[in-house]
Amino acid sequence: MYGTKNAKIPFSSSASERSTTLNFSSKPFSITCQSETQNDAEPKKWRKVVVSTALAAAAVVGFSANISAAMADLNKFEAETRGEFGIGSAAQFGSADLKKTVHVNENFRRANFTSADMRESDFSGSTFNGAYLEKAVAYKANFAGADLSDTLMDRMVLNEANLSNAVLVRSVLTRSDLGGAKIEGADFSDAVLDLTQKQALCKYANGTNPITGVSTRKSLGCGNSRRNAYGSPSSPLLSAPPQKLLDRDGFCDPATGLCEAN
């Protein structure tokens, strides 16, 4: 398009029609008209992105729901088959509120009771073989005749708990509190206890376990052999016996004042 210098081009505005003088050079120039289709395309593009995101989110939610359902089915299957590979109950009671509940003669093999509240509950005759009971609170709980062998019971509260005739072979009881616990007939063979806790139990330990036939005092090593005279806790500072605790034959030395159990 060619224009003339100082040409007057009339145009109309929204308010009124008026003339405006525009200066053009003698050189040719062109006017490019941009349609609004480009601006219209952007919202469409954004709409596509929003729709795609919503579809992806829906797919993720659906996938998560399928995973949850599958896990629920797996847990149910493991519980029915006594756990994975048939070696446990697959029961999960971590941090659970089990106060004053009754679970007599039940199977809790390899179950998880970490930090569970088991105060004044009845677990007599139940099987806990290989279970996890760390930090559980079992004040006045009843474990009479229970199988607690190979269990992790460290940092557990067992004040005034009933462990009569219970089997605690190879159980780990480091940092646990058994103050006032009933241990008549309990078998602590190869159990790991803190030295001070073992000494406290030896002061009143008595009876024989009806299942293993082992004396409670013998299982605790109350003043007998050198191997059982002190505990083997996880802390090396606690596992070392005090000086003069044993005489040369492996028995308690009365001069130490630590042989009151005899």
Side-chain angles (χ1 to χ4, degrees):
M1 177 179 181
Y2 294 90
T4 305
K5 195 173 183 179
N6 297 330
K8 293 183 178 180
I9 301 177
F11 68 93
S12 59
S13 63
S14 59
S16 60
E17 292 184 355
R18 55 186 178 181
S19 297
T20 304
T21 301
L22 300 175
N23 294 327
F24 299 100
S25 63
S26 59
K27 296 180 180 181
F29 66 92
S30 61
I31 299 176
T32 303
C33 297
Q34 183 178 2
S35 65
E36 296 182 356
T37 57
Q38 184 176 355
N39 295 333
D40 292 342
E42 291 183 1
K44 294 179 180 179
K45 187 182 297 183
W46 281 108
R47 284 195 294 270
K48 290 181 179 179
V49 172
V50 171
V51 172
S52 300
T53 303
L55 291 175
V60 170
V61 171
F63 180 76
S64 300
N66 292 335
I67 288 294
S68 299
M71 290 300 294
D73 292 339
L74 178 60
N75 291 338
K76 181 180 179 182
F77 172 77
E78 288 185 352
E80 292 175 350
T81 58
R82 298 178 63 206
E84 188 178 11
F85 307 117
I87 57 177
S89 64
Q92 296 295 322
F93 299 101
S95 301
D97 185 359
L98 300 171
K99 292 191 298 290
K100 298 183 179 181
T101 55
V102 178
H103 299 278
V104 177
N105 297 323
E106 292 191 23
N107 175 26
F108 295 112
R109 293 185 65 203
R110 299 207 175 197
N112 176 28
F113 289 89
T114 303
S115 299
D117 189 347
M118 308 165 73
R119 287 177 289 179
E120 302 182 66
S121 296
D122 188 358
F123 292 94
S124 57
S126 294
T127 300
F128 289 87
N129 180 257
Y132 302 90
L133 293 98
E134 302 100 317
K135 299 182 180 180
V137 179
Y139 170 72
K140 285 189 175 182
N142 185 9
F143 294 101
D147 180 4
L148 292 160
S149 58
D150 298 296
T151 55
L152 292 178
M153 305 170 68
D154 56 294
R155 294 163 291 173
M156 190 174 177
V157 177
L158 288 161
N159 296 80
E160 302 183 37
N162 186 359
L163 297 171
S164 301
N165 298 325
V167 178
L168 296 104
V169 177
R170 296 178 300 276
S171 60
V172 178
L173 288 153
T174 50
R175 306 298 194 277
S176 294
D177 189 352
L178 286 84
K182 300 176 182 178
I183 60 170
E184 181 179 359
D187 185 354
F188 290 91
S189 297
D190 297 317
V192 183
L193 292 92
D194 295 325
L195 174 60
T196 53
Q197 185 68 81
K198 180 174 287 190
Q199 289 172 345
L201 295 177
C202 281
K203 289 182 179 181
Y204 64 94
N206 63 91
T208 301
N209 189 274
I211 300 174
T212 63
V214 177
S215 166
T216 300
R217 290 183 58 78
K218 183 177 180 180
S219 69
L220 283 169
C222 299
N224 293 324
S225 66
R226 181 183 295 272
R227 181 177 67 88
N228 292 326
Y230 53 88
S232 53
S234 56
S235 172
L237 295 177
L238 294 175
S239 62
Q243 291 182 352
K244 297 182 180 180
L245 174 64
L246 306 175
D247 60 20
R248 63 180 183 179
D249 296 322
F251 293 91
C252 278
D253 185 355
T256 63
L258 298 175
C259 298
E260 298 177 5
N262 291 336

